[in-house]
Structures are given as structure tokens and as C-alpha cells.
């Protein structure tokens, strides 16, 4: 996958949210590095569980932030979060049926693409209100 490094333009003006986004992106890059080098064994189940938990932590924190500033787009934004969480849960269910179906490279790419597109198209919307 084409690694997209963090840029200042990804900032949403809230240091904690930027830290979550940056950390999540870095973890995806580390995982991608591990799987593409083929040198390290990757526990797919643990990675999926970790992504689901990290997403839950970050998305709930972001939703609380939007509520605390009375951001009018909070409900629509929450819907977008739920859609992505459902997508990852679907991937987890498919993985439980057939582990071979899950390619870590594809998961890394999906998460990286979603995270950056989501920051730029959705998270940036609350920036003027913080
Ligand atoms: Fe968001
Ligand atoms: Fe976010």
C-alpha cells in the first residue's frame, strides 16, 4: 500500500484528537511494515480486536467532544462513525468464518484510507467550532 504520512493539514485543531489520529495512523504503518516485510508473525485476531477497541475509544471521545461544543453536525457525524464500525465488525465476522479471507495488507489500506478521508471530510467540520 502507499503509505500516507501525517501532515499538518490533517490537524483538526484539537491536540488530543490529532494525537489519536496520528497514533492510529502510525500503528497502521507499523503493522503494514510488519506484514509487508514478512518477517514478523501477525496475530490477526489480536489486530482486529485492537483496531475495534482503538476505534471505539477514539470515536466515543470525538463524539463527546462534539457534544461538549454543541456541534450541530454531531448526529450525522456519529452515523458515519457507526457505518465504519459496522464495516470493521463485518470484517471480523467474515474472519471468524474463514481466517484466510482477511489480508492484513487490505485491512491496513482500508483503515488508512478511511481515517484520512474521514479526517478531511468529516472531522474537519468541527474544527471551526473548537
Ligand atoms: Fe470522526
Ligand atoms: Fe476522528
Amino acid at each position: 500500500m502507499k503509505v500516507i504520512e501525517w501532515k499538518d493539514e490533517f490537524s483538526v485543531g484539537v491536540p488530543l484528537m490529532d494525537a489519536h489520529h496520528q497514533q492510529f495512523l502510525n500503528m497502521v504503518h507499523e503493522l503494514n511494515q510488519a506484514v509487508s516485510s514478512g518477517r514478523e508473525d501477525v496475530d490477526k485476531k489480536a489486530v482486529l480486536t485492537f483496531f475495534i477497541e482503538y476505534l471505539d475509544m477514539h470515536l466515543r471521545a470525538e463524539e463527546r467532544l462534539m457534544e461538549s461544543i454543541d456541534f450541530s453536525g454531531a448526529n450525522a457525524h456519529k452515523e458515519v462513525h457507526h457505518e465504519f464500525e459496522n464495516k470493521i465488525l463485518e470484517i471480523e465476522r467474515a474472519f471468524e468464518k474463514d481466517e484466510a479471507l482477511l489480508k492484513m495488507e487490505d485491512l491496513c489500506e482500508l483503515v488508512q484510507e478511511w481515517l484520512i478521508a474521514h479526517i478531511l471530510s468529516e472531522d474537519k467540520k468541527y474544527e471551526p467550532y473548537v
Side-chain angles (χ1 to χ4, degrees):
M1 85 177 192
K2 189 179 176 297
V3 168
I4 302 170
E5 297 295 346
W6 176 266
K7 298 182 190 71
D8 288 343
E9 67 195 68
F10 296 158
S11 171
V12 294
V14 182
L16 181 63
M17 294 301 113
D18 287 344
H20 286 174
H21 292 152
Q22 247 173 313
Q23 193 181 28
F24 201 27
L25 194 60
N26 285 341
M27 289 181 305
V28 171
H29 291 167
E30 276 169 29
L31 177 65
N32 181 63
Q33 180 69 40
V35 291
S36 62
S37 70
R39 274 173 287 146
E40 288 169 65
D41 268 345
V42 174
D43 181 342
K44 292 180 175 184
K45 173 76 188 157
V47 169
L48 266 175
T49 303
F50 178 80
F51 277 1
I52 290 165
E53 288 179 0
Y54 196 89
L55 266 177
D56 180 52
M57 183 280 294
H58 168 63
L59 300 179
R60 301 297 86 79
E62 196 168 73
E63 289 165 7
R64 283 195 302 275
L65 167 85
M66 290 190 287
E67 277 163 23
S68 75
I69 57 171
D70 278 327
F71 174 58
S72 63
N75 284 337
H77 194 140
K78 277 189 207 173
E79 275 303 307
V80 180
H81 285 172
H82 285 301
E83 275 169 33
F84 187 65
E85 288 181 289
N86 284 335
K87 188 169 188 157
I88 299 288
L89 289 173
E90 253 172 53
I91 291 172
E92 188 189 38
R93 279 194 291 274
F95 170 76
E96 276 161 6
K97 283 201 193 105
D98 182 358
E99 297 195 4
L101 286 177
L102 181 64
K103 301 265 179 293
M104 283 288 115
E105 293 89 340
D106 295 345
L107 183 66
C108 288
E109 195 158 17
L110 175 82
V111 173
Q112 175 181 261
E113 298 280 299
W114 183 82
L115 184 66
I116 292 168
H118 182 78
I119 291 169
L120 295 176
S121 67
E122 295 296 327
D123 293 350
K124 280 276 190 184
K125 289 180 183 167
Y126 61 70
E127 189 177 17
Y129 303 95
V130 294

